[in-house]
Structure formats: structure tokens, C-alpha cells
Amino acid sequence: DTEVTQTPKHLVMGMTNKKSLKCEQHMGHRAMYWYKQKAKKPPELMFVYSYEKLSINESVPSRFSPECPNSSLLNLHLHALQPEDSALYLCASRRVDRGNEKLFFGSGTQLSVL
Amino acid sequence: TQLLEQSPQFLSIQEGENLTVYCNSSSVFSSLQWYRQEPGEGPVLLVTVVTGGEVKKLKRLTFQFGDARKDSSLHITAAQPGDTGLYLCAGPVFNAGNNRKLIWGLGTSLAVNP
């Protein structure tokens, strides 16, 4: 099983809504990531969890709140988002192989904020 | 600040043509990675190059790491419509907290027309 599963695949929300994005992997990877990606642009790192602890927060606004309940799950809680937050949100997990890192990405959640 | 400059940004070619995508930096990287992303999916790792001058082949794709480990290229021979996608190069850096993360080139959006 080499999959990272993200739900939902699509999400439309208003600026006053609260929603959550979910990510799951069962590869035993101990680092998980949230990225934001606009169309035809590279992914922008948001958060990194390593061994269930937040290790990187790329100065992301507090309306995005990550959570790592256990080593297989990663959530991103959304509240009071802005239209400019509309993007593809990607989750990834990391495997280290002979000193080289490999990221496994999910298919993403396409988020539209109205 | 380490940057990865990728060129060209957009490329539209006919099936059967060859192409080369470049990823350049003024900084030395311990390794560089190439990812391909298809519409509606997350990026998928194609290759990691770690040794200066290294050449790796993946079917019709040839990857090269520069001798000084500051640049890399991706050459596709006899492109096919299935090669269409966003090609991204990425390299590891350490942030102020000594946490490792990837920085990304801006990507090359490739369209191969039948």
C-alpha cells in the first residue's frame, strides 16, 4: 500500500464555514506535510509534522489549523477562509531511503471559498 | 536564499518531438528531484539525482545532475501525449530551525499534442 488518501476530493465553503480536510497513510511514514498549490504553480509548504509533532509552520495564517491525531492521520481545520485561499491542498508523507527523502502525495482536495 | 530556476515555463510540442527542461541554481544541492504532476493529481516522484555528473534513465526520460551539483536537466525523447503534465524540480534545504524541507522550481507545463 503506497497511497496517501485525502478526503474530500472537492470542497466548496463559504467564508463563515468551518470545515476539515483529512489525510491518511498506512505506510508507516513518520513525517507528514500539508501543501497549498495554485494552478500550474509549484506546491507551497504549509506545515510539517514529524513523529506527530509540528516541526515546520511556514507562517501560515491562523485560519488554517493543522492536527496530527496519530502517525497515520493528518487533518487541516479551516475557519473563516478568504476567497484567495481557494487552491488545491495536498497532503504528503515522507520516506527516507539511504539518506534520500521521497515524498508521497495524495490526490489533493480542490477547495473553493465563496 | 536558495532558488531553483526552471525553464521553459510552458512548452507545447507535437507527439514524437524531443524536449529538454532545465533546473538551475547558483547554490549547491546535495540532491535534486524531479516530479511529474498530472491534472487532478498530486506530484509523483520520477527520480532523485545525488552525484555530480550523474545520468539516470527512466524509459524515454533522461535526467542529468550537473558536475557542480547546481543544476539538472530532464530530456524526453519522442514525447507522447501521456507525457503531458507539470514537471517540477525540487531540492532540499534547511530552514532557520535546522529542519529540512524542499524548495521547488516554478515548474514546466508540458503539453504534447497528438
Side-chain angles (χ1 to χ4, degrees):
Chain A
D1 186 0
T2 57
E3 278 192 356
V4 175
T5 304
Q6 287 188 246
T7 55
K9 196 160 175 64
H10 302 276
L11 179 62
V12 179
M13 61 186 289
M15 289 189 283
T16 59
N17 292 158
K18 286 185 182 180
K19 297 285 184 184
S20 296
L21 309 185
K22 296 187 183 302
C23 176
E24 192 168 359
Q25 58 90 13
H26 295 288
M27 296 177 278
H29 297 166
R30 301 310 298 269
M32 294 183 75
Y33 299 67
W34 281 115
Y35 281 90
K36 173 184 176 181
Q37 187 180 30
K38 295 279 195 179
K40 290 192 171 27
K41 299 293 184 187
E44 299 171 39
L45 182 63
M46 300 175 73
F47 303 104
V48 181
Y49 274 83
S50 181
Y51 290 87
E52 295 104 72
K53 286 187 168 39
L54 185 65
S55 60
I56 296 180
N57 176 343
E58 292 284 276
S59 303
V60 179
S62 60
R63 58 185 184 269
F64 295 91
S65 175
E67 179 196 20
C68 189
N70 60 56
S71 60
S72 299
L73 293 174
L74 187 65
N75 299 321
L76 186 62
H77 303 298
L78 315 173
H79 173 54
L81 294 195
Q82 304 296 310
E84 59 265 28
D85 296 322
S86 298
L88 181 68
Y89 287 83
L90 292 163
C91 172
S93 67
R94 183 187 71 199
R95 183 183 79 197
V96 179
D97 184 14
R98 286 176 286 183
N100 294 318
E101 297 187 346
K102 178 174 181 177
L103 292 185
F104 293 79
F105 284 88
S107 297
T109 294
Q110 188 65 55
L111 174 67
S112 295
V113 182
L114 303 179
Chain B
T1 303
Q2 288 176 285
L3 292 174
L4 285 170
E5 295 179 355
Q6 211 175 316
S7 62
Q9 195 172 351
F10 298 97
L11 195 53
S12 180
I13 62 172
Q14 293 302 120
E15 183 175 0
E17 292 184 10
N18 302 332
L19 67 116
T20 302
V21 178
Y22 300 93
C23 179
N24 297 308
S25 176
S26 58
S27 304
V28 175
F29 282 85
S30 59
S31 63
L32 284 177
Q33 297 183 321
W34 286 93
Y35 289 79
R36 178 169 68 209
Q37 184 176 19
E38 298 182 19
E41 298 294 329
V44 175
L45 179 65
L46 297 174
V47 77
T48 302
V49 286
V50 297
T51 305
E54 180 178 11
V55 176
K56 283 190 173 179
K57 293 197 173 188
L58 186 66
K59 297 183 181 177
R60 294 175 293 99
L61 277 60
T62 301
F63 304 86
Q64 187 159 7
F65 201 11
D67 291 341
R69 290 187 288 128
K70 292 183 179 181
D71 54 83
S72 182
S73 64
L74 156 59
H75 182 80
I76 301 180
T77 303
Q80 298 178 0
D83 296 326
T84 293
L86 181 67
Y87 289 80
L88 295 154
C89 67
V93 297
F94 287 90
N95 67 6
N98 207 34
N99 292 301
R100 182 171 162 161
K101 66 176 188 178
L102 286 179
I103 61 168
W104 298 80
L106 289 181
T108 295
S109 182
L110 172 65
V112 181
N113 307 301

